[in-house]
């Protein structure tokens, strides 16, 4: 078993001065914590993997392909591999748990 606490992951992400912290990588998935502050620009590019974004906290809009929705705590958004997706109009600091399958770097 592997267990993680969001407060500890956030502290580790901050200590490493990055917007993204991958904290789990297994044969079929990887999982990370992605952080964007209010007003910040999301510069992610299309991923080679399918991605599930689970919003832990914050509020923003998210565009996937040509569809846009408002996301907040508890939102779950699936992004098929190769599809352009980004967060924008971030009005509250955003923390997103990101699940990749297959894992990043595969």
């Amino acid at each position: 078993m592997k267990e993680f606490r969001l407060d500890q992951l956030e502290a580790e992400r901050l200590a490493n001065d990055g917007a993204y912290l991958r904290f789990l990588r297994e044969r079929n998935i990887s999982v990370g914590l992605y952080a964007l502050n209010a007003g910040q620009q999301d510069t992610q590019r299309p991923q080679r993997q399918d991605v599930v974004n689970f919003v832990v906290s914050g509020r923003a809009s998210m565009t996937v392909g040509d569809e846009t929705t408002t996301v907040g705590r508890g939102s779950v958004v699936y992004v098929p591999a190769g599809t352009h997706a980004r967060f924008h109009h971030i009005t509250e600091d955003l923390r997103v748990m990101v699940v990749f399958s297959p894992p990043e770097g595969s």
Side-chain angles (χ1 to χ4, degrees):
M1 178 172 83
K2 296 179 182 180
E3 183 232 350
F4 304 94
R5 292 181 49 101
L6 285 173
D7 56 343
Q8 293 170 345
L9 294 171
E10 179 70 0
E12 185 177 346
R13 185 194 63 76
L14 286 168
N16 289 304
D17 293 325
Y20 181 74
L21 171 71
R22 181 175 61 199
F23 60 88
L24 178 67
R25 187 176 198 287
E26 296 294 335
R27 187 170 53 89
N28 294 316
I29 67 168
S30 61
V31 184
L33 180 64
Y34 188 41
L36 293 165
N37 292 328
Q40 193 172 354
Q41 192 92 337
D42 181 7
T43 60
Q44 66 177 305
R45 296 183 218 154
Q47 303 293 330
R48 293 183 353 201
Q49 306 85 352
D50 287 341
V51 180
V52 173
N53 296 276
F54 172 68
V55 179
V56 175
S57 63
R59 190 156 203 72
S61 293
M62 184 176 192
T63 298
V64 177
D66 60 359
E67 296 181 88
T68 299
T69 189
T70 300
V71 296
R73 182 174 165 237
S75 296
V76 178
V77 179
Y78 167 71
V79 181
T83 304
H84 184 71
R86 70 182 178 93
F87 294 98
H88 53 95
H89 297 98
I90 302 167
T91 57
E92 296 175 18
D93 292 354
L94 196 60
R95 299 299 180 265
V96 181
M97 187 173 304
V98 185
V99 180
F100 294 89
S101 181
E104 302 164 274
S106 299

